[in-house]
Amino acid sequence: MKFKGFLKDVTGASRVTKARINAFDTASDKPVTLDPIAEVVKAWHLGRVTLEVTEVRDACRTAKTVRFKRCDGDMPYFLAGQYVVIDFEIDGATISRPYSISSSPSEARGDDGYIEITVRRSRGDGFIADYINDSVKVGDRFTALVGCGQFFYEPLRDARHVVALAGGVGITPFASMAKEIARGGLDFDLTILYGSVSSDDIVLKEELDAVRCDRVKIVHVLSGDEPDWQGERGFLTAELIKKYSSDDTTYFICGPQAMYTFLRGELEKLSAPARRVRFEVFGQAKDITKFPGYPAHLADKTFNITVRRGVHEDVIPAKATESIVVALERAGIRIETGCRSGECGFCRTKVVSGSVYVCPENDGRRAADRDFGYVHACAAYPTSDLVIKIPIL
Ligand code: FES
């Protein structure tokens, strides 16, 4: 039996060999120009596209919504909750920033398809946010990467009822989800608990009101002192969250960094299982010295980073409290970035020598990268002079 099986294997293999020789003999001399797999991959991963601003409007007294159409084809596919990375050319340097898309995927389809972002004016620490609020106008063009990030609903993983805990401009991914549910493009129940200081600060209020339906509930929670306010008051406490939760709920959280620490504690009180809690990445740490293990005695130091790009070598200064990405951008050296939160790996950088502090909240490296001295430059801060290697762009 074994011998028969062996013969069958050998003759089977020789049949395949003959078929291959025949295929080579009869093949066209012309090179294959179309690889169907590559075409599909290209359609899904378009790379950077060109967007043009078609509208700028107020989203509340402190935030603006900017609408973009694509100039060089159809708007790329994305999921409600994902973000767009936009490149800004400022003083000869290219600086990229991620913004959650506040419009729905359905609105991006068709000839007039568009995406929108909603950006709040900074409180003195975000010059791109202020640039968008003050200077971006209809007709401006930007290159951008549309459809990044992992913050979206996944029916195989998430419960049918999602309670979204939003603070400030962190409402944007939930606005996209709410609009998509209202249009029938997503199949889950969404309750948004949206914390703001005052009713004037509520971002996208009218748009959220317009998509309320059986499946989309929006609860505004004000922390400021507003005597006439009829709705919920205070913070997004465990008690309040419980009131709007069901037996099986997934919690999605997006908002300022301080809110994350608070909500972790509140969700622990509810014994919410880790698989039912999803935090959106929150961008670069606002104050890295506040994170556990940061070497505070180095906070006022400035180090030298030797940056190797192919055969080029530059030496740039870098403050101990600014990430390697920020130091590179300040020096006008381009590095690919996406999330700026350690998640996507676009800014993966080899540390040849020297030491860094990696923000524990944003350490999205693979284990092998940790072992072999790679960091995500948006989440790594110099704690000595460094030599790093980055790709040439
Ligand atoms: S930009 Fe995403 S990991 Fe650094």
Side-chain angles (χ1 to χ4, degrees), residues 185-196:
L186 270 176
D187 182 20
F188 65 94
D189 297 319
L190 178 65
T191 302
I192 302 176
L193 302 185
Y194 180 18
S196 305

Side-chain angles (χ1 to χ4, degrees), residues 27-291:
S28 161
D29 311 339
K30 295 191 183 120
V32 177
T33 52
L34 194 71
D35 174 352
I37 303 290
E39 291 300 308
V40 171
V41 170
K42 211 167 112 196
W44 278 82
H45 303 280
L46 278 175
R48 279 175 154 72
V49 298
T50 305
L51 302 181
E52 183 176 306
V53 176
T54 57
E55 188 181 323
V56 181
R57 63 179 190 275
D58 288 337
C60 75
R61 65 173 179 162
T62 52
K64 287 236 158 68
T65 292
V66 183
R67 179 177 290 189
F68 301 91
K69 70 172 185 186
R70 183 175 167 199
C71 310
D72 48 358
D74 292 335
M75 192 61 80
Y77 183 77
F78 69 94
L79 297 169
Q82 288 192 302
Y83 61 83
V84 53
V85 178
I86 302 179
D87 303 328
F88 298 88
E89 305 293 333
I90 294 180
D91 294 338
T94 305
I95 298 174
S96 308
R97 287 288 183 275
Y99 292 102
S100 291
I101 300 169
S102 53
S103 54
S104 70
S106 304
E107 291 167 312
R109 305 274 65 89
D111 291 345
D112 298 324
Y114 59 84
I115 61 164
E116 292 180 342
I117 60 168
T118 302
V119 180
R120 172 164 268 164
R121 183 180 293 287
S122 82
R123 294 187 173 97
D125 56 354
F127 70 102
I128 299 279
D130 292 344
Y131 171 76
I132 292 171
N133 271 273
D134 296 333
S135 306
V136 166
K137 57 188 184 314
V138 171
D140 286 354
R141 289 190 173 197
F142 301 91
T143 53
L145 210 49
V146 180
C148 309
Q150 309 297 321
F151 197 65
F152 49 79
Y153 181 76
E154 167 49 65
L156 294 176
R157 176 194 57 203
D158 301 321
R160 298 271 297 172
H161 180 217
V162 169
V163 170
L165 305 172
V169 81
I171 189 66
T172 46
F174 304 127
S176 178
M177 291 179 200
K179 289 174 194 172
E180 193 65 6
I181 292 171
R183 286 167 168 256
L186 270 176
D187 182 20
F188 65 94
D189 297 319
L190 178 65
T191 302
I192 302 176
L193 302 185
Y194 180 18
S196 305
V197 176
S198 71
S199 51
D200 286 347
D201 288 325
I202 297 174
V203 179
L204 297 172
K205 183 164 187 317
E206 288 77 28
E207 291 181 35
L208 291 169
D209 285 344
V211 292
R212 286 177 198 268
C213 60
D214 287 353
R215 309 203 73 180
V216 178
K217 185 183 275 187
I218 296 150
V219 181
H220 292 289
V221 185
L222 292 195
S223 60
D225 186 18
E226 210 161 303
D228 297 335
W229 179 249
Q230 301 293 318
E232 299 282 4
R233 289 175 180 276
F235 296 100
L236 305 184
T237 59
E239 193 186 355
L240 186 80
I241 295 168
K242 190 169 179 205
K243 182 172 160 188
Y244 291 97
S245 299
S246 48
D247 290 344
D248 190 17
T249 298
T250 289
Y251 300 98
F252 278 30
I253 296 112
C254 186
Q257 286 174 30
M259 188 180 110
Y260 283 30
T261 315
F262 175 74
L263 283 178
R264 279 207 171 89
E266 297 308 295
L267 289 168
E268 255 173 44
K269 288 182 200 164
L270 294 178
S271 306
R275 69 190 164 84
R276 292 291 190 226
V277 180
R278 310 213 34 235
F279 287 87
E280 172 60 313
V281 291
F282 56 57
Q284 288 198 191
K286 288 251 181 306
D287 181 357
I288 193 63
T289 64
K290 297 272 190 316
F291 284 82

Side-chain angles (χ1 to χ4, degrees), residues 337-340 342-347 376 378:
T337 62
C339 65
R340 299 180 83 90
E343 183 196 60
C344 70
F346 284 9
C347 64
H376 292 174
C378 64

